[in-house]
Amino acid sequence: MEEIGKALQGHSLGPYRLDRFVGGGGMGAVFRALDERLQRVVALKVLSPGLSRDVAAVQRFQNEARAAARL
């Protein structure tokens, strides 16, 4: 995951510019990113490519995102 994270640094995903790879785990990579629409720094978690085809993994990822948004 660290190799993917380092490779994505500096790239953009939609309105997010991935500034720095923070860490990774079983589900994906976390970046310090800039939301260019709102001009604010955010933590952005990106699902690993292998899990993006797994319906159950995508559901868990979405549930985690919803839980974090409620905080």
Side-chain angles (χ1 to χ4, degrees):
M1 193 49 54
E2 187 168 344
E3 295 160 4
I4 293 170
K6 298 282 184 187
L8 288 175
Q9 279 185 168
H11 288 82
S12 292
L13 288 175
Y16 302 100
R17 188 180 71 229
L18 308 177
D19 291 334
R20 184 170 44 96
F21 173 68
V22 175
M27 290 199 78
V30 178
F31 294 88
R32 178 186 187 276
L34 176 67
D35 180 338
E36 294 182 329
R37 290 176 303 186
L38 301 176
Q39 293 300 303
R40 66 179 183 169
V41 174
V42 298
L44 185 70
K45 187 171 187 180
V46 179
L47 187 63
S48 68
L51 291 177
S52 66
R53 295 179 218 48
D54 180 340
V55 175
V58 171
Q59 185 64 47
R60 284 192 309 274
F61 188 80
Q62 291 172 340
N63 288 341
E64 181 182 309
R66 281 191 283 276
R70 286 191 289 266
L71 294 177

